[in-house]
Amino acid sequence: MIQGQAYGWFVISISVLMFLLGCSPRAIDYDQVGPNDKLIIRFSHVTGEETPKGLAAKRFKELVEAKSGGKIEVQVFPNSTLYSDKEELSALKRGDIQIIAPAISKVSSVVPEALLFDLPYLFHDQDDVWKLADGPVGDEINILLEKQGYKMLAVWDNGFKQITNNKHPIHHPDDFKDLSFRIMPSRVLARQFDSVGATSLVLPFNELYQALERGQVDGEENTVSNIYSKKLYVTQKYMTKSDHGYLGYFVLTQKEFWESIPQESRVILEEVLADVTEWERNLALEIDKTEYAYLKERKNLELYELTEEEKKQWRSAFYPTYEWFVSQIHDDLIKVYIKEIFEEDFASKDK
């Protein structure tokens, strides 16, 4: 009887071990998938399922599985259920997951040039973002990512960031003085708040609501969809619609994993990604409008929209952030972009 029990536990242990190894086969050897094997892709992200990124991840799963006839399975893990935003890059590098879609700020830890997307008032609208992301500068950043073992598959939108806080309305740059804000891990964002006399604290997204609720920081910057979906407006008294910064996502995979996928499957994934990216970008615009209308109706949230003249004042106040960024990067293509495209425009309008 004892021997039977011991054998039973042995079988269970081996089964558990095989299951755990099977959850992440490509973390082990990256062998080519055979024509009759199912390719399993684990897609981990940190936002809610009803955000632009969450909805795009679900659509990606549905289209890939349908188009591949079930030969490719996409498992989506939203809301930091698998990894937090400070863990997911390392998990991807190890091969524990196969796709992530981190905020671009978080990619700057491996490619500092990605901080370009964080510069305040770099873009006038989403069209400006897409031209940059889909053009030579986006290609250059992907080259830099591949040198670190990653591959950028797409750039997804969330929209432009707004300011919320609990102390007082923020209309002018001087209103930031002595306030504290949660930021993503980005030296550009830290410099942005430094330039207007505020302090900043890096916190994971899944800790933000509690930090605001406890008063660990006075405020934060985020897109309308994140403020809405995570109910950040419940913890905040004031919101300034500033559109001062952009929040997008690099859809990333591990370069070695991607190159191990058979050509036929890779083509399916690429085609679906192209379709979903266009769909997601349009969806982000629609969600922003719908959920902003909802926030405007919240009685506990005092909302203020910056005038164009006030935006110019903010641009001028944030200008030292650009000077610092240009002094830190060494990539010639990105320096040319800043100096020839944006810096000239900034100087002519605001100096």
Side-chain angles (χ1 to χ4, degrees):
M1 179 70 177
I2 294 175
Q3 288 179 338
Q5 289 178 332
Y7 177 77
W9 281 112
F10 174 78
V11 170
I12 292 171
S13 299
I14 291 297
S15 299
V16 169
L17 179 61
M18 291 177 67
F19 171 78
L20 291 174
L21 290 175
C23 283
S24 185
R26 298 200 170 276
I28 302 170
D29 57 15
Y30 290 100
D31 285 342
Q32 290 281 345
V33 177
N36 299 316
D37 293 334
K38 176 184 283 190
L39 172 62
I40 297 177
I41 294 175
R42 305 174 90 195
F43 189 156
S44 174
H45 69 85
V46 304
T47 61
E49 291 182 277
E50 301 307 312
T51 61
K53 177 164 63 174
L55 292 169
K58 287 197 291 186
R59 186 175 180 86
F60 174 72
K61 167 186 171 64
E62 292 164 1
L63 294 180
V64 165
E65 292 179 352
K67 196 164 187 175
S68 69
K71 290 184 178 180
I72 305 175
E73 178 183 340
V74 180
Q75 300 172 354
V76 179
F77 300 89
N79 272 317
S80 302
T81 52
L82 204 56
Y83 294 102
S84 71
D85 51 4
K86 65 182 179 182
E87 300 169 325
E88 58 184 5
L89 274 167
S90 297
L92 180 67
K93 191 69 175 287
R94 292 193 305 268
D96 295 342
I97 46 181
Q98 287 69 51
I99 295 181
I100 60 175
I104 296 171
S105 299
K106 292 157 191 168
V107 180
S108 65
S109 62
V110 292
V111 175
E113 288 80 2
L115 289 171
L116 169 71
F117 285 83
D118 279 346
L119 289 171
Y121 289 113
L122 178 66
F123 306 109
H124 297 100
D125 53 33
Q126 263 91 356
D127 285 342
D128 280 354
V129 177
W130 302 336
K131 287 176 185 175
L132 176 69
D134 300 337
V137 173
D139 292 341
E140 181 74 3
I141 290 176
N142 188 37
I143 290 170
L144 297 173
L145 281 165
E146 290 191 353
K147 290 179 180 179
Q148 300 299 321
Y150 301 96
K151 181 176 180 60
M152 181 165 64
L153 301 175
V155 178
W156 287 357
D157 259 347
N158 195 328
F160 288 101
K161 292 184 287 187
Q162 322 304 335
I163 291 285
T164 70
N165 89 103
N166 257 331
K167 295 294 186 181
H168 54 248
I170 298 177
H171 300 177
H172 307 288
D174 289 346
D175 296 331
F176 282 96
K177 189 173 174 60
D178 298 327
L179 297 181
S180 61
F181 292 87
R182 175 266 179 180
I183 61 169
M184 292 181 286
S186 164
R187 290 180 295 164
V188 161
L189 297 182
R191 292 273 172 169
Q192 168 190 283
F193 285 108
D194 284 347
S195 68
V196 289
T199 59
S200 58
L201 177 67
V202 174
L203 287 171
F205 185 58
N206 62 333
E207 297 177 14
L208 177 54
Y209 184 95
Q210 290 80 7
L212 294 171
E213 194 174 41
R214 293 193 302 262
Q216 189 175 353
V217 287
D218 297 317
E220 54 90 43
E221 57 168 13
N222 234 310
T223 59
V224 166
S225 71
N226 282 351
I227 293 169
Y228 173 84
S229 67
K230 290 298 184 181
K231 299 189 184 300
L232 302 182
Y233 59 87
V234 174
T235 71
Q236 302 279 267
K237 295 178 182 177
Y238 306 100
M239 175 174 163
T240 306
K241 191 173 190 303
S242 53
D243 293 330
H244 66 281
Y246 171 73
L247 176 56
Y249 308 107
F250 284 171
V251 182
L252 299 179
T253 189
Q254 192 194 73
K255 185 173 183 289
E256 184 182 357
F257 164 73
W258 190 255
E259 292 175 351
S260 75
I261 299 173
Q263 179 67 21
E264 181 181 353
S265 296
R266 200 157 62 228
V267 167
I268 291 172
L269 292 168
E270 289 170 347
E271 289 175 351
V272 171
L273 274 165
D275 290 344
V276 171
T277 296
E278 182 178 359
W279 178 86
E280 190 276 343
R281 290 174 175 182
N282 291 322
L283 177 68
L285 290 169
E286 294 175 13
I287 288 177
D288 186 90
K289 292 176 183 177
T290 301
E291 295 179 351
Y292 181 62
Y294 175 88
L295 294 178
K296 288 175 72 174
E297 298 300 318
R298 298 306 92 203
K299 293 182 179 179
N300 68 307
L301 184 68
E302 183 178 315
L303 199 151
Y304 180 78
E305 297 184 7
L306 290 185
T307 66
E308 288 305 312
E309 182 58 37
E310 287 165 342
K311 287 182 179 181
K312 288 181 181 180
Q313 294 172 12
W314 284 41
R315 287 189 187 106
S316 295
F318 289 145
Y319 187 70
T321 308
Y322 289 85
E323 296 178 316
W324 175 85
F325 178 72
V326 171
S327 73
Q328 295 296 305
I329 62 168
H330 306 290
D331 187 275
D332 291 337
L333 182 65
I334 294 175
K335 280 194 172 186
V336 166
Y337 174 80
I338 289 291
K339 290 181 177 179
E340 292 187 359
I341 297 180
F342 184 80
E343 195 172 68
E344 180 180 348
D345 177 63
F346 189 100
S348 66
K349 291 184 178 181
D350 303 314
K351 297 195 79 176

